Amino acid sequence: MTINVDENTDFQSLNEKIHSAAERSIVINGCIGQRYIGSGVTDKKIIIHGTPGNALGAYLNGGEIYIYGNAQDATGDTMNSGTIVIHGNVGDATGYAMRGGKIYVKGNTGYRAGIHMKAYMEYKPVIVIGGRAGSFLGEYQAGGIIVVLGQNDDGLPIINNFCGTGMHGGKIYLRCKSLPHRIPSQVRTERLCGKKDLELKGIIDDYCKYFENMNAECLLNADFFVLTPDSENPYKRMYTDN
């Protein structure tokens, strides 16, 4: 099924068409800021040409969403499962409160990617950013995995300020030779070689399947830092007398 839209297309009518479609595969052409595309979808494959609006794939409960362009804020908001692949950049709060599934971004993300990200039993969400991430990456992260690959040629740091603030679960992998910004003392940092970490290898192998000219071996043959909560110096000491 193919849906052609323009700036006059109402997001509600567009989403009604998506949810009511009998076909599993849906192609959307000319997308320009329509919100909530694919929200709550369970088993559809949605291919988007253009720029979807906020909350793309919110509460996604399975299925696949592919964006050939950029995406705006809150992509994958509170998603449970499924896959979102963005062949461009994405805005702020990517994967907000994400509980499962995978978000793969070829380019950069804005502020607060992975904020309130969490995991439960077999559900372990993953966000992979091909470029850089803005400030407050992994803020209040409680579970899941965030990977920032830093494939930018402009020499700027791959993360901005306050990475891992309030982090009390999960992991953040940063592909860099040295940490570009001060990390909170409540977060533990460890340097490692990417190709020796089997969990990271599996994630990068999957990521590279979605993008042309991505070489997993090249990406993994580099230094990474893995960030995890420091259980000996938890954030609760900042707020209690204990």
Side-chain angles (χ1 to χ4, degrees), residues 18-177:
I18 293 170
H19 284 274
S20 62
E23 298 88 343
R24 179 181 181 274
S25 183
I26 300 170
V27 177
I28 301 172
N29 293 321
C31 188
I32 183 165
Q34 285 83 7
R35 296 172 285 167
Y36 310 121
I37 295 176
S39 59
V41 161
T42 58
D43 60 356
K44 296 184 184 297
K45 178 180 179 180
I46 302 173
I47 300 171
I48 300 171
H49 297 277
T51 304
N54 291 357
L56 168 77
Y59 304 102
L60 188 67
N61 203 32
E64 310 159 72
I65 301 177
Y66 299 88
I67 302 93
Y68 291 90
N70 299 322
Q72 296 185 27
D73 298 343
T75 293
D77 183 348
T78 323
M79 68 183 284
N80 293 313
S81 60
T83 303
I84 300 176
V85 179
I86 301 164
H87 290 261
N89 301 316
V90 66
D92 298 338
T94 302
Y96 180 94
M98 187 179 176
R99 301 181 290 204
K102 299 174 182 178
I103 299 177
Y104 296 138
V105 182
K106 186 173 184 180
N108 306 319
T109 186
Y111 292 169
R112 289 189 160 90
I115 180 175
H116 289 301
M117 192 177 182
K118 60 203 72 176
Y120 176 70
M121 297 180 69
E122 73 273 20
Y123 296 97
K124 183 181 287 187
V126 173
I127 300 174
V128 182
I129 307 299
R132 74 170 63 88
S135 296
F136 297 101
L137 174 71
E139 186 180 27
Y140 307 123
Q141 184 180 351
I145 297 174
I146 301 172
V147 181
V148 184
L149 297 174
Q151 298 185 97
N152 303 88
D153 297 327
D154 50 22
L156 296 175
I158 70 168
I159 59 171
N160 216 321
N161 300 309
F162 313 116
C163 177
T165 299
M167 182 183 186
H168 54 281
K171 295 180 182 179
I172 299 175
Y173 289 94
L174 303 175
R175 183 176 176 266
C176 52
K177 292 185 178 297

Side-chain angles (χ1 to χ4, degrees), residues 191-232:
R191 189 170 187 159
L192 55 84
C193 179
K195 63 183 179 183
K196 294 183 178 180
D197 188 304
L198 294 180
E199 183 173 47
L200 178 62
K201 183 179 184 304
I203 291 170
I204 299 301
D205 284 343
D206 286 343
Y207 173 82
C208 288
K209 293 175 184 176
Y210 292 100
F211 302 108
E212 294 182 2
N213 303 320
M214 289 285 186
N215 187 305
E217 184 177 354
C218 179
L219 291 173
L220 289 163
N221 191 26
D223 291 326
F224 282 79
F225 281 87
V226 58
L227 279 54
T228 54
D230 187 347
S231 60
E232 296 177 358

